Amino acid sequence: MKNTKAFPEQKQNLPGNEYLMNPEPEIIKENYTGSGKLLGKVAFITGGDSGIGRSVAVHFAREGANVAIVYLKEDKDALKTKELVEKEGQQCLLVSGDLKDENFCKNAIKSCVKTFNKINIIVNNAAVQFPQNELEKITTAQLQKTFETNIYPYFYITKAALPFLNKGDSIINTSSVTAYRGSEHLLDYSSTKGAILTFTRSLSTMLAKKQIRVNGVAPGPIWTPLIVATFDKVSDFGKDNPMGRAGQPSEVGPAYVFLASEDSSYITGQFIHINGGELVGG
Ligand code: NAD
Ligand code: MG
């Protein structure tokens, strides 16, 4: 992660943009071979313009799925994701808007169904974070924004999508290692990630009878625009974990393929920990 510029201008304008990152994140490993694991499926991915969401979109496309991605306003990043998905021979619907708005969430699901006639996989993944070292610095406005962005849309999107989901379909939620071990500088963010963990477990039981599986991924430090846009010092990012480095989105995407595909047909309510070796339970 040497020679990395933090692009201070991004800090004024959250969330960050992937096209400005240096070095550019790796989205998919060159030697990742698709084998039709998601052939004919339709996936709906929030925050699919960049970082982990972009990696998920491209992996899903390589496995044969069409994707719809939701993003806030990073058109340039979203168009790049679309291009990458199309390069895999699949279609990509771009939906720009604010997930804090329940009506937008309903309409986003509607336009996905209108375009592709169905939805099989939901990936709840969009998030914001605003690091603060002291509780006093977490304003009510920040607290509300963090919860309204990071957890409310998991309810809105899932509720709107549920009528279209059937046996064998799958919901995948992005939590974080911070849900398990806490984070002193991300008190509000880590609390939303804990909520996502419990949401996933509760929803998995609720939907088990319908044979709809609900699982999650809990990443550790991954090199994405969220990091560059919000942390002051990124040169040491991830260096203090057992593997001594940050992960790439390309190391996270395959876990979503596993959880979306039939390979995980007897797994629900569980999390995969992609964090460079930090031991966390559950
Ligand atoms: P990212 O910035 O690339 O992706 C987050 C996306 O969320 C943005 O692209 C943005 O378009 C979208 N978004 C934010 N607010 C929105 C809103 N109001 N409406 C619509 N879209 C909105 O960063 P990322 O690191 O890939 O983050 C993806 C997920 O991974 C997040 O849930 C994050 O908490 C989680 N995560 C990341 C790390 C890491 O180190 N990068 C670690 C643990 C968990
Ligand atoms: Mg983005």
Side-chain angles (χ1 to χ4, degrees), residues 126-277:
V128 290
Q129 65 179 26
F130 308 100
Q132 304 287 4
N133 289 324
E134 289 154 46
L135 181 56
E136 293 80 353
K137 291 201 172 140
I138 301 175
T139 62
T140 303
Q142 171 176 325
L143 184 63
Q144 284 171 343
K145 187 169 182 182
T146 305
F147 273 79
E148 284 172 12
T149 307
N150 292 9
I151 176 69
Y152 286 21
Y154 282 51
F155 285 83
Y156 302 152
I157 289 293
T158 309
K159 203 169 153 188
L162 204 50
F164 304 103
L165 298 182
N166 295 300
K167 183 179 170 181
D169 290 343
S170 168
I171 299 168
I172 308 165
N173 300 320
T174 308
S175 179
S176 164
V177 67
T178 65
Y180 290 83
R181 59 134 156 86
S183 169
E184 62 181 334
H185 59 278
L186 291 168
L187 183 57
D188 48 349
Y189 169 86
S190 61
S191 302
T192 66
K193 293 295 164 180
I196 290 165
L197 168 61
T198 313
F199 172 83
T200 303
R201 289 176 172 165
S202 303
L203 189 68
S204 72
T205 317
M206 191 184 268
L207 299 184
K209 287 172 283 300
K210 294 185 176 177
Q211 308 296 319
I212 297 167
R213 297 178 303 103
V214 187
N215 291 290
V217 173
I222 309 298
W223 185 239
T224 72
L226 184 72
I227 300 311
V228 175
T230 57
F231 289 137
D232 285 330
K233 191 165 177 247
V234 293
S235 53
D236 288 340
F237 181 63
K239 291 232 167 97
D240 58 353
N241 77 7
M243 291 184 78
R245 64 170 178 89
Q248 291 292 333
S250 61
E251 297 176 294
V252 186
Y256 289 77
V257 171
F258 174 65
L259 292 174
S261 77
E262 260 205 300
D263 288 353
S264 60
S265 55
Y266 197 46
I267 299 177
T268 195
Q270 310 299 323
F271 275 80
I272 298 180
H273 299 280
I274 305 178
N275 64 23

Side-chain angles (χ1 to χ4, degrees), residues 15-18 47-51 54 70-74 77-78 127 225-226:
N17 295 300
E18 184 150 334
D49 58 304
S50 59
R54 174 188 279 178
V70 173
Y71 64 101
L72 192 55
K73 54 189 173 185
E74 309 91 326
D77 280 352
L226 184 72

Side-chain angles (χ1 to χ4, degrees), residues 44 68 93-95 106-116:
F44 181 96
L93 172 70
L94 301 184
V95 190
K106 286 182 187 163
N107 288 331
I109 292 289
K110 268 190 206 155
S111 41
C112 178
V113 174
K114 201 172 160 203
T115 306
F116 297 122

